[in-house]
Amino acid sequence: PSLGCPPDETAVSGQPQVIKVQESPEEWQKVYPTYWAVSLHQIQELNHKLRDHYSSLGDDFSKKTLRQIVPDYIQPETQGHGVGYALKENQAKPLRASLMISHCWDEIYDTFVDH
């Protein structure tokens, strides 16, 4: 089974990630980029997790950029899963993107979330 664009549209949509379906670990599913999304609530939850993470290190989260957060937190969280953060968080039910938000790698993450 697959979620997202049919195979004849992959030139536009990109190649799928193949993930295990949590309810049926022996079943695999192709998930196209249109389903590599996180909700606003999940972004806000991530913001709280990041505050706690950097606080535990005695580090000032308010000055962290997206470029710093990815290797500090996102990569360790997704390492060994074979998928990005959105699919890891939503493996049981991948979310279809309804809006695409772009960001700058050197933008302060807290500012990005607040706006």
Side-chain angles (χ1 to χ4, degrees), residues 4-96:
C5 296
D8 60 337
E9 294 182 26
T10 58
V12 175
S13 68
Q15 295 298 313
Q17 290 281 316
V18 178
I19 64 170
K20 284 187 177 183
V21 179
Q22 281 188 338
E23 293 83 27
S24 177
E26 65 281 348
E27 185 179 336
W28 292 82
Q29 180 176 35
K30 290 181 182 178
V31 182
Y32 287 87
T34 50
Y35 280 84
W36 300 355
V38 290
S39 68
L40 176 58
H41 179 73
Q42 288 174 310
I43 291 171
Q44 292 166 336
E45 283 181 339
L46 176 59
N47 205 34
H48 292 296
K49 290 177 186 176
L50 289 166
R51 282 183 194 283
D52 292 345
H53 172 74
Y54 286 110
S55 177
S56 73
L57 299 173
D59 211 342
D60 186 2
F61 169 67
S62 69
K63 296 183 179 6
K64 294 295 177 183
T65 65
L66 289 157
R67 186 181 306 277
Q68 294 167 306
I69 287 169
V70 170
D72 289 354
Y73 189 85
I74 301 297
Q75 287 176 341
E77 282 292 307
T78 58
Q79 188 172 10
H81 292 275
V83 295
Y85 188 79
L87 284 180
K88 179 186 167 287
E89 293 298 302
N90 298 306
Q91 186 171 354
K93 187 176 181 185
L95 295 178
R96 182 179 177 91

Coordinates of all heavy atoms in Angstrom, one line a residue, residues 4-96:
G4 N -0.2 9.0 -0.7 CA 0.4 10.1 -1.4 C 0.2 10.0 -2.9 O -0.8 9.3 -3.3
C5 N 1.1 10.5 -3.7 CA 1.0 10.6 -5.1 C 1.2 9.2 -5.7 O 2.0 8.4 -5.2 CB 2.0 11.5 -5.7 SG 1.7 13.2 -5.2
P6 N 0.5 8.8 -6.7 CA 0.7 7.5 -7.4 C 2.1 7.6 -8.1 O 2.7 8.6 -8.3 CB -0.4 7.5 -8.4 CG -0.9 8.8 -8.6 CD -0.6 9.6 -7.3
P7 N 2.7 6.4 -8.3 CA 4.0 6.3 -8.8 C 4.3 7.1 -10.1 O 5.4 7.5 -10.3 CB 4.2 4.8 -9.1 CG 3.3 4.1 -8.2 CD 2.1 5.1 -8.0
D8 N 3.3 7.3 -11.0 CA 3.5 8.0 -12.2 C 3.7 9.5 -11.9 O 4.1 10.3 -12.8 CB 2.4 7.8 -13.2 CG 1.1 8.3 -12.7 OD1 0.9 8.3 -11.5 OD2 0.2 8.6 -13.5
E9 N 3.5 10.0 -10.7 CA 3.7 11.4 -10.4 C 5.0 11.6 -9.6 O 5.2 12.7 -9.1 CB 2.5 12.0 -9.6 CG 1.3 12.0 -10.5 CD 0.1 12.6 -9.7 OE1 0.3 13.4 -8.8 OE2 -1.0 12.2 -10.0
T10 N 5.9 10.6 -9.4 CA 7.0 10.8 -8.6 C 8.0 11.8 -9.0 O 8.8 12.4 -8.2 CB 7.8 9.4 -8.4 OG1 8.1 8.9 -9.6 CG2 6.9 8.5 -7.6
A11 N 8.0 12.2 -10.3 CA 8.9 13.2 -10.8 C 8.6 14.5 -10.2 O 9.5 15.3 -9.9 CB 8.9 13.3 -12.3
V12 N 7.3 14.7 -9.9 CA 6.9 16.0 -9.2 C 6.9 15.9 -7.7 O 7.4 16.8 -7.0 CB 5.5 16.4 -9.7 CG1 5.0 17.6 -8.9 CG2 5.5 16.6 -11.2
S13 N 6.5 14.7 -7.2 CA 6.3 14.6 -5.7 C 7.6 14.1 -5.0 O 7.6 14.2 -3.8 CB 5.2 13.7 -5.4 OG 5.5 12.4 -5.8
G14 N 8.5 13.5 -5.7 CA 9.7 12.9 -5.0 C 9.5 11.4 -4.7 O 8.4 10.9 -4.9
Q15 N 10.5 10.7 -4.3 CA 10.4 9.3 -4.0 C 9.9 9.1 -2.6 O 10.1 9.9 -1.7 CB 11.8 8.7 -4.1 CG 12.4 8.8 -5.5 CD 11.6 8.0 -6.5 OE1 11.2 6.9 -6.3 NE2 11.3 8.6 -7.6
P16 N 9.2 8.0 -2.4 CA 8.6 7.7 -1.1 C 9.6 7.1 -0.1 O 10.6 6.6 -0.5 CB 7.5 6.6 -1.4 CG 8.2 5.8 -2.6 CD 8.8 6.9 -3.4
Q17 N 9.3 7.2 1.1 CA 10.0 6.5 2.2 C 9.1 5.3 2.4 O 7.9 5.3 2.3 CB 9.9 7.3 3.5 CG 10.8 8.6 3.5 CD 12.2 8.2 3.7 OE1 12.6 7.4 4.5 NE2 13.1 8.8 2.9
V18 N 9.8 4.2 2.6 CA 9.1 2.9 2.9 C 9.2 2.7 4.4 O 10.3 2.6 5.0 CB 9.7 1.7 2.1 CG1 9.0 0.5 2.5 CG2 9.6 2.0 0.6
I19 N 8.1 2.6 5.1 CA 8.0 2.4 6.5 C 7.2 1.2 6.9 O 6.4 0.8 6.2 CB 7.5 3.7 7.2 CG1 6.0 3.9 6.8 CG2 8.3 4.9 6.9 CD1 5.3 5.0 7.7
K20 N 7.5 0.7 8.1 CA 6.7 -0.4 8.7 C 5.4 0.3 9.3 O 5.5 1.3 9.9 CB 7.4 -1.1 9.8 CG 8.5 -2.0 9.3 CD 9.1 -2.8 10.4 CE 10.1 -3.8 9.9 NZ 10.6 -4.7 10.9
V21 N 4.3 -0.4 9.1 CA 3.1 0.1 9.6 C 3.0 -0.4 11.1 O 3.2 -1.6 11.3 CB 1.9 -0.5 8.8 CG1 0.6 -0.1 9.4 CG2 2.0 -0.1 7.4
Q22 N 2.9 0.5 12.0 CA 3.0 0.1 13.4 C 2.0 -0.9 13.9 O 2.3 -1.8 14.7 CB 2.9 1.3 14.3 CG 4.2 2.1 14.4 CD 4.1 3.2 15.4 OE1 3.1 3.7 15.9 NE2 5.3 3.6 15.9
E23 N 0.8 -0.9 13.4 CA -0.2 -1.8 13.7 C 0.1 -3.2 13.2 O -0.4 -4.2 13.7 CB -1.7 -1.4 13.3 CG -2.2 -0.2 13.9 CD -1.7 1.1 13.2 OE1 -1.4 1.1 12.0 OE2 -1.6 2.1 13.9
S24 N 0.8 -3.3 12.1 CA 1.2 -4.6 11.5 C 2.6 -4.5 11.1 O 3.0 -4.2 10.0 CB 0.3 -4.8 10.3 OG 0.6 -5.9 9.6
P25 N 3.6 -4.8 12.1 CA 5.0 -4.7 11.8 C 5.5 -5.5 10.6 O 6.6 -5.1 10.1 CB 5.6 -5.2 13.1 CG 4.6 -5.2 14.1 CD 3.3 -5.3 13.4
E26 N 4.8 -6.5 10.2 CA 5.3 -7.2 9.0 C 4.9 -6.6 7.7 O 5.3 -6.9 6.6 CB 4.8 -8.7 9.0 CG 3.3 -8.9 8.9 CD 2.5 -8.7 10.2 OE1 3.1 -8.5 11.3 OE2 1.3 -8.6 10.1
E27 N 4.0 -5.6 7.8 CA 3.5 -4.9 6.6 C 4.3 -3.6 6.4 O 4.6 -2.8 7.3 CB 2.1 -4.5 6.7 CG 1.4 -3.9 5.5 CD 0.0 -3.6 5.7 OE1 -0.7 -4.3 6.5 OE2 -0.5 -2.8 4.9
W28 N 4.7 -3.3 5.1 CA 5.4 -2.1 4.8 C 4.5 -1.2 3.9 O 3.7 -1.7 3.2 CB 6.7 -2.5 4.0 CG 7.7 -3.2 4.8 CD1 7.7 -4.5 5.1 CD2 8.8 -2.6 5.5 NE1 8.8 -4.8 6.0 CE2 9.5 -3.7 6.2 CE3 9.3 -1.3 5.6 CZ2 10.6 -3.5 7.0 CZ3 10.5 -1.2 6.4 CH2 11.1 -2.2 7.0
Q29 N 4.8 0.1 4.0 CA 3.9 1.0 3.3 C 4.8 2.1 2.7 O 5.8 2.6 3.3 CB 3.0 1.7 4.3 CG 2.0 2.7 3.7 CD 1.1 3.2 4.8 OE1 1.4 3.3 6.0 NE2 -0.1 3.5 4.4
K30 N 4.6 2.5 1.4 CA 5.3 3.6 0.8 C 4.5 4.8 1.2 O 3.3 5.0 1.1 CB 5.2 3.4 -0.7 CG 6.0 2.3 -1.3 CD 5.9 2.3 -2.8 CE 6.7 1.2 -3.4 NZ 6.5 1.2 -4.9
V31 N 5.3 5.8 1.6 CA 4.7 7.1 2.0 C 5.4 8.2 1.3 O 6.6 8.4 1.4 CB 4.9 7.4 3.6 CG1 4.2 8.7 3.9 CG2 4.3 6.2 4.4
Y32 N 4.7 8.9 0.4 CA 5.2 10.0 -0.4 C 5.3 11.3 0.3 O 4.7 11.4 1.4 CB 4.3 10.1 -1.7 CG 4.5 9.0 -2.7 CD1 3.8 7.8 -2.6 CD2 5.5 9.1 -3.7 CE1 4.0 6.7 -3.4 CE2 5.7 8.0 -4.6 CZ 5.0 6.9 -4.4 OH 5.2 5.8 -5.3
P33 N 6.1 12.2 -0.2 CA 6.4 13.4 0.6 C 5.1 14.2 1.0 O 5.2 15.0 1.9 CB 7.3 14.2 -0.4 CG 8.0 13.2 -1.2 CD 7.0 12.1 -1.3
T34 N 4.0 14.1 0.2 CA 2.8 14.8 0.6 C 2.3 14.4 2.0 O 1.5 15.1 2.6 CB 1.7 14.6 -0.4 OG1 1.6 13.2 -0.6 CG2 2.0 15.3 -1.7
Y35 N 2.9 13.3 2.5 CA 2.5 12.8 3.9 C 3.6 12.9 4.9 O 3.6 12.2 5.9 CB 2.0 11.3 3.8 CG 0.5 11.3 3.3 CD1 0.2 11.3 2.0 CD2 -0.5 11.2 4.3 CE1 -1.1 11.3 1.6 CE2 -1.8 11.2 3.8 CZ -2.1 11.2 2.5 OH -3.4 11.2 2.1
W36 N 4.6 13.7 4.6 CA 5.7 13.9 5.5 C 5.5 15.2 6.3 O 6.2 16.2 6.1 CB 7.1 14.0 4.8 CG 7.5 12.8 4.0 CD1 6.8 11.6 3.9 CD2 8.6 12.7 3.1 NE1 7.5 10.8 3.0 CE2 8.6 11.5 2.5 CE3 9.6 13.6 2.8 CZ2 9.6 11.0 1.6 CZ3 10.6 13.2 1.9 CH2 10.6 11.9 1.3
A37 N 4.5 15.3 7.1 CA 4.1 16.5 7.7 C 4.0 16.3 9.3 O 3.8 15.2 9.8 CB 2.7 17.0 7.2
V38 N 4.1 17.4 9.9 CA 3.8 17.5 11.4 C 2.7 18.5 11.6 O 2.6 19.5 10.8 CB 5.1 17.8 12.2 CG1 6.0 16.7 12.2 CG2 5.7 19.1 11.8
S39 N 2.0 18.4 12.6 CA 0.9 19.4 13.0 C 1.5 20.5 13.7 O 2.7 20.5 14.3 CB -0.1 18.7 13.8 OG 0.4 18.4 15.1
L40 N 0.8 21.6 13.8 CA 1.2 22.8 14.6 C 1.4 22.4 16.0 O 2.4 22.8 16.7 CB 0.2 23.9 14.5 CG 0.4 25.2 15.3 CD1 1.8 25.8 15.0 CD2 -0.7 26.2 15.1
H41 N 0.5 21.5 16.5 CA 0.6 21.1 17.9 C 1.9 20.3 18.1 O 2.6 20.5 19.1 CB -0.6 20.2 18.3 CG -0.5 19.6 19.6 ND1 -0.7 20.4 20.8 CD2 -0.2 18.3 20.1 CE1 -0.6 19.6 21.8 NE2 -0.3 18.4 21.4
Q42 N 2.3 19.5 17.1 CA 3.6 18.7 17.2 C 4.8 19.7 17.2 O 5.8 19.4 17.9 CB 3.7 17.7 16.1 CG 2.8 16.5 16.3 CD 2.8 15.6 15.2 OE1 2.6 16.0 14.0 NE2 2.9 14.3 15.5
I43 N 4.7 20.7 16.4 CA 5.8 21.7 16.4 C 5.9 22.4 17.8 O 7.0 22.6 18.3 CB 5.6 22.8 15.3 CG1 5.8 22.1 13.9 CG2 6.5 24.0 15.5 CD1 5.4 23.0 12.8
Q44 N 4.8 22.7 18.4 CA 4.8 23.4 19.7 C 5.3 22.4 20.8 O 6.0 22.8 21.7 CB 3.3 23.8 20.1 CG 2.9 25.0 19.2 CD 1.4 25.3 19.2 OE1 0.6 24.4 19.6 NE2 1.1 26.5 18.9
E45 N 4.9 21.1 20.7 CA 5.5 20.1 21.6 C 7.0 20.0 21.4 O 7.7 19.8 22.4 CB 4.8 18.7 21.3 CG 3.4 18.6 21.8 CD 2.9 17.2 21.6 OE1 3.4 16.5 20.6 OE2 1.9 16.8 22.3
L46 N 7.4 20.0 20.2 CA 8.9 19.9 19.9 C 9.6 21.1 20.6 O 10.6 21.0 21.1 CB 9.2 19.9 18.4 CG 10.6 19.9 18.0 CD1 11.4 18.7 18.6 CD2 10.7 19.9 16.5
N47 N 9.0 22.3 20.5 CA 9.5 23.5 21.1 C 9.7 23.3 22.6 O 10.8 23.6 23.2 CB 8.6 24.7 20.8 CG 9.3 26.0 20.9 OD1 10.4 26.1 20.5 ND2 8.6 27.0 21.3
H48 N 8.7 22.6 23.3 CA 8.9 22.4 24.7 C 10.0 21.3 25.0 O 10.7 21.5 25.9 CB 7.5 21.9 25.3 CG 6.5 22.9 25.3 ND1 6.6 24.1 26.1 CD2 5.3 23.0 24.6 CE1 5.5 24.8 25.9 NE2 4.7 24.2 25.0
K49 N 10.0 20.3 24.2 CA 11.1 19.3 24.3 C 12.5 19.9 24.1 O 13.4 19.6 24.9 CB 10.9 18.2 23.3 CG 9.7 17.3 23.5 CD 9.6 16.2 22.4 CE 8.3 15.4 22.5 NZ 8.2 14.5 21.4
L50 N 12.6 20.8 23.2 CA 13.9 21.5 22.9 C 14.2 22.3 24.1 O 15.4 22.4 24.5 CB 13.8 22.3 21.6 CG 13.8 21.4 20.3 CD1 13.4 22.3 19.2 CD2 15.1 20.7 20.1
R51 N 13.3 23.1 24.6 CA 13.6 23.9 25.8 C 14.1 23.0 27.0 O 15.1 23.4 27.6 CB 12.3 24.6 26.3 CG 11.9 25.8 25.5 CD 10.7 26.5 26.2 NE 10.1 27.4 25.2 CZ 10.6 28.6 25.0 NH1 11.7 29.0 25.6 NH2 10.0 29.4 24.1
D52 N 13.4 21.9 27.2 CA 13.9 21.0 28.3 C 15.3 20.4 28.0 O 16.1 20.3 28.9 CB 12.9 19.9 28.4 CG 11.5 20.3 29.0 OD1 11.5 21.5 29.5 OD2 10.6 19.5 28.9
H53 N 15.5 20.0 26.7 CA 16.8 19.5 26.3 C 17.9 20.4 26.6 O 18.9 20.1 27.2 CB 16.7 19.1 24.8 CG 18.0 18.7 24.2 ND1 18.6 17.4 24.5 CD2 18.9 19.3 23.4 CE1 19.7 17.4 23.9 NE2 19.9 18.5 23.2
Y54 N 17.8 21.6 26.1 CA 18.9 22.6 26.2 C 19.0 23.1 27.7 O 20.1 23.3 28.1 CB 18.7 23.8 25.3 CG 19.0 23.4 23.8 CD1 18.1 23.3 22.9 CD2 20.3 23.1 23.5 CE1 18.4 22.9 21.6 CE2 20.7 22.7 22.2 CZ 19.7 22.6 21.2 OH 20.0 22.3 19.9
S55 N 17.9 23.2 28.4 CA 17.9 23.5 29.8 C 18.7 22.5 30.6 O 19.5 22.8 31.5 CB 16.5 23.7 30.3 OG 16.5 23.9 31.7
S56 N 18.5 21.2 30.3 CA 19.2 20.1 31.0 C 20.7 20.2 30.7 O 21.5 19.7 31.5 CB 18.7 18.8 30.6 OG 19.1 18.4 29.3
L57 N 21.1 20.8 29.6 CA 22.5 21.0 29.3 C 23.1 22.3 29.8 O 24.3 22.6 29.6 CB 22.7 20.9 27.7 CG 22.3 19.6 27.1 CD1 22.4 19.8 25.5 CD2 23.2 18.5 27.5
G58 N 22.2 23.1 30.4 CA 22.7 24.5 30.8 C 22.9 25.4 29.6 O 23.7 26.4 29.7
D59 N 22.2 25.1 28.5 CA 22.4 25.9 27.3 C 21.2 26.8 27.1 O 20.1 26.5 27.5 CB 22.5 24.9 26.1 CG 23.4 25.5 25.0 OD1 23.7 26.7 25.0 OD2 23.9 24.7 24.2
D60 N 21.4 28.0 26.4 CA 20.4 28.9 26.2 C 19.6 28.6 24.9 O 20.1 28.9 23.8 CB 21.0 30.3 26.1 CG 19.9 31.4 26.0 OD1 18.7 31.1 26.0 OD2 20.3 32.6 25.9
F61 N 18.4 28.0 25.0 CA 17.6 27.6 23.9 C 17.2 28.8 23.1 O 17.1 28.7 21.8 CB 16.4 26.9 24.4 CG 15.4 26.6 23.3 CD1 15.6 25.8 22.2 CD2 14.1 27.3 23.4 CE1 14.7 25.6 21.2 CE2 13.2 27.1 22.4 CZ 13.4 26.2 21.3
S62 N 17.0 30.0 23.7 CA 16.4 31.1 23.0 C 17.3 31.6 21.9 O 16.8 32.4 21.0 CB 16.1 32.3 24.0 OG 17.3 32.8 24.5
K63 N 18.6 31.2 21.8 CA 19.5 31.7 20.8 C 19.8 30.6 19.7 O 20.6 30.7 18.8 CB 20.8 32.1 21.4 CG 20.6 33.4 22.3 CD 21.9 33.9 22.8 CE 21.9 35.1 23.6 NZ 20.7 35.7 24.0
K64 N 19.2 29.4 19.9 CA 19.4 28.3 19.0 C 18.8 28.5 17.6 O 17.6 28.8 17.5 CB 19.0 27.0 19.6 CG 19.7 26.6 20.8 CD 21.2 26.3 20.5 CE 22.0 26.0 21.8 NZ 23.4 25.8 21.5
T65 N 19.5 28.2 16.6 CA 19.0 28.2 15.2 C 18.6 26.8 14.8 O 19.0 25.8 15.4 CB 20.1 28.7 14.2 OG1 21.2 27.8 14.2 CG2 20.6 30.1 14.6
L66 N 17.9 26.8 13.7 CA 17.5 25.5 13.1 C 18.7 24.7 12.7 O 18.8 23.5 12.9 CB 16.6 25.7 11.9 CG 15.2 26.2 12.3 CD1 14.5 26.9 11.2 CD2 14.3 25.0 12.8
R67 N 19.7 25.4 12.2 CA 21.0 24.7 11.9 C 21.6 24.0 13.1 O 22.3 23.0 12.9 CB 22.0 25.8 11.3 CG 23.2 25.2 10.7 CD 24.2 26.2 10.2 NE 23.6 27.1 9.2 CZ 23.5 26.8 7.9 NH1 23.9 25.7 7.4 NH2 22.9 27.7 7.1
Q68 N 21.5 24.6 14.3 CA 22.0 23.9 15.5 C 21.1 22.8 16.0 O 21.6 21.8 16.5 CB 22.2 25.0 16.5 CG 23.3 26.0 16.2 CD 23.2 27.2 17.1 OE1 22.2 27.9 17.3 NE2 24.4 27.6 17.7
I69 N 19.8 23.0 15.9 CA 18.9 22.1 16.5 C 18.9 20.7 15.8 O 18.8 19.7 16.4 CB 17.5 22.7 16.5 CG1 17.4 23.8 17.6 CG2 16.4 21.7 16.7 CD1 16.2 24.6 17.6
V70 N 19.1 20.8 14.5 CA 19.0 19.5 13.7 C 20.1 18.5 14.2 O 19.8 17.4 14.6 CB 19.1 19.8 12.2 CG1 19.3 18.5 11.4 CG2 17.8 20.4 11.7
P71 N 21.4 18.9 14.2 CA 22.4 17.9 14.7 C 22.3 17.7 16.2 O 22.6 16.6 16.7 CB 23.7 18.5 14.3 CG 23.5 20.0 14.1 CD 22.1 20.1 13.7
D72 N 21.9 18.7 17.0 CA 21.8 18.5 18.4 C 20.7 17.6 18.9 O 20.8 16.9 19.9 CB 21.6 19.9 19.1 CG 22.8 20.8 19.1 OD1 23.9 20.4 18.6 OD2 22.7 22.0 19.5
Y73 N 19.5 17.7 18.2 CA 18.3 17.0 18.7 C 17.6 16.2 17.7 O 17.3 15.0 17.9 CB 17.3 18.1 19.3 CG 16.2 17.4 20.0 CD1 16.3 17.1 21.3 CD2 15.0 17.2 19.4 CE1 15.3 16.4 22.0 CE2 13.9 16.5 20.0 CZ 14.1 16.2 21.3 OH 13.0 15.6 22.0
I74 N 17.4 16.7 16.5 CA 16.6 16.0 15.5 C 17.3 14.7 15.0 O 16.7 13.6 15.0 CB 16.2 16.9 14.3 CG1 15.4 18.1 14.8 CG2 15.5 16.1 13.2 CD1 14.0 17.7 15.4
Q75 N 18.6 14.9 14.6 CA 19.3 13.7 14.1 C 19.4 12.6 15.2 O 19.2 11.4 14.9 CB 20.7 14.1 13.6 CG 20.6 14.8 12.3 CD 21.9 15.4 11.8 OE1 22.9 15.5 12.5 NE2 22.0 15.7 10.5
P76 N 19.8 12.9 16.4 CA 19.8 11.8 17.4 C 18.4 11.2 17.7 O 18.3 10.0 17.9 CB 20.3 12.5 18.7 CG 21.1 13.7 18.2 CD 20.4 14.1 17.0
E77 N 17.4 12.0 17.6 CA 16.0 11.4 17.7 C 15.6 10.5 16.6 O 14.8 9.6 16.8 CB 15.0 12.6 17.8 CG 15.0 13.3 19.2 CD 14.4 12.4 20.3 OE1 13.3 11.8 20.1 OE2 15.1 12.2 21.3
T78 N 16.1 10.7 15.4 CA 15.7 10.0 14.3 C 16.7 8.9 13.9 O 16.4 8.0 13.1 CB 15.4 10.9 13.0 OG1 16.6 11.6 12.7 CG2 14.3 11.8 13.3
Q79 N 17.9 8.9 14.4 CA 18.9 8.0 14.1 C 18.5 6.6 14.3 O 17.9 6.2 15.3 CB 20.2 8.3 14.9 CG 21.4 7.5 14.5 CD 22.6 7.9 15.3 OE1 22.6 8.7 16.2 NE2 23.8 7.4 14.8
G80 N 18.7 5.7 13.3 CA 18.4 4.3 13.3 C 16.9 4.0 12.9 O 16.5 2.9 12.9
H81 N 16.1 5.1 12.7 CA 14.7 4.8 12.3 C 14.5 4.8 10.8 O 13.5 4.3 10.3 CB 13.8 5.9 12.9 CG 13.7 5.9 14.4 ND1 12.8 5.0 15.0 CD2 14.4 6.5 15.3 CE1 13.0 5.2 16.3 NE2 14.0 6.1 16.6
G82 N 15.5 5.3 10.0 CA 15.4 5.3 8.6 C 14.4 6.3 8.0 O 14.1 6.2 6.8
V83 N 13.9 7.2 8.8 CA 12.9 8.2 8.3 C 13.2 9.5 9.0 O 13.9 9.5 10.0 CB 11.5 7.8 8.6 CG1 11.1 6.5 7.8 CG2 11.2 7.6 10.0
G84 N 12.7 10.6 8.5 CA 12.8 11.9 9.1 C 11.9 12.0 10.3 O 11.1 11.1 10.7
Y85 N 11.9 13.2 10.9 CA 11.2 13.5 12.1 C 9.7 13.3 12.0 O 9.0 12.7 12.8 CB 11.6 14.9 12.7 CG 11.0 15.2 14.0 CD1 11.6 14.6 15.2 CD2 9.8 15.9 14.2 CE1 11.1 14.9 16.4 CE2 9.3 16.1 15.5 CZ 10.0 15.6 16.6 OH 9.5 15.9 17.8
A86 N 9.1 13.8 10.9 CA 7.7 13.8 10.7 C 7.2 12.4 10.6 O 6.2 12.0 11.3 CB 7.3 14.6 9.5
L87 N 7.9 11.5 9.9 CA 7.4 10.1 9.7 C 7.7 9.3 11.0 O 6.9 8.5 11.4 CB 8.1 9.4 8.6 CG 7.5 9.8 7.2 CD1 8.2 9.1 6.1 CD2 6.0 9.5 7.1
K88 N 8.7 9.7 11.7 CA 9.0 9.0 13.0 C 7.9 9.3 14.0 O 7.3 8.4 14.7 CB 10.3 9.4 13.6 CG 10.6 8.8 14.9 CD 11.9 9.4 15.5 CE 12.1 9.0 17.0 NZ 11.2 9.7 17.9
E89 N 7.5 10.6 14.1 CA 6.4 11.0 15.0 C 5.0 10.5 14.6 O 4.2 10.3 15.4 CB 6.4 12.5 15.1 CG 7.7 13.1 15.8 CD 7.8 12.6 17.2 OE1 6.9 12.8 18.0 OE2 8.9 12.0 17.5
N90 N 4.8 10.3 13.3 CA 3.5 9.9 12.8 C 3.5 8.6 12.1 O 2.7 8.4 11.2 CB 3.0 11.1 11.9 CG 2.8 12.4 12.7 OD1 2.2 12.4 13.7 ND2 3.5 13.4 12.1
Q91 N 4.3 7.7 12.5 CA 4.4 6.4 11.8 C 3.1 5.7 11.8 O 2.8 5.1 10.7 CB 5.5 5.6 12.4 CG 5.8 4.3 11.6 CD 7.0 3.5 12.1 OE1 7.7 4.0 13.0 NE2 7.2 2.4 11.6
A92 N 2.4 5.7 12.8 CA 1.1 5.0 12.9 C 0.1 5.6 11.9 O -0.7 4.8 11.3 CB 0.5 5.0 14.3
K93 N 0.1 6.9 11.7 CA -0.8 7.5 10.8 C -0.1 8.8 10.2 O -0.3 9.9 10.7 CB -2.1 7.9 11.5 CG -3.2 8.4 10.6 CD -4.4 8.7 11.3 CE -5.5 9.2 10.3 NZ -6.7 9.6 11.0
P94 N 0.6 8.6 9.1 CA 1.3 9.8 8.5 C 0.3 10.9 8.2 O -0.8 10.6 7.8 CB 2.0 9.2 7.3 CG 2.2 7.8 7.6 CD 1.0 7.4 8.4
L95 N 0.8 12.2 8.4 CA -0.1 13.3 8.2 C 0.1 13.9 6.8 O 1.2 14.1 6.4 CB 0.2 14.4 9.2 CG -0.1 14.1 10.7 CD1 0.3 15.3 11.5 CD2 -1.6 13.8 10.9
R96 N -1.0 14.2 6.1 CA -0.9 14.8 4.8 C -0.7 16.3 5.0 O -1.4 16.9 5.9 CB -2.2 14.6 4.1 CG -2.2 15.2 2.7 CD -3.5 14.9 1.9 NE -3.5 15.6 0.6 CZ -3.0 15.0 -0.5 NH1 -2.6 13.8 -0.5 NH2 -3.0 15.7 -1.6

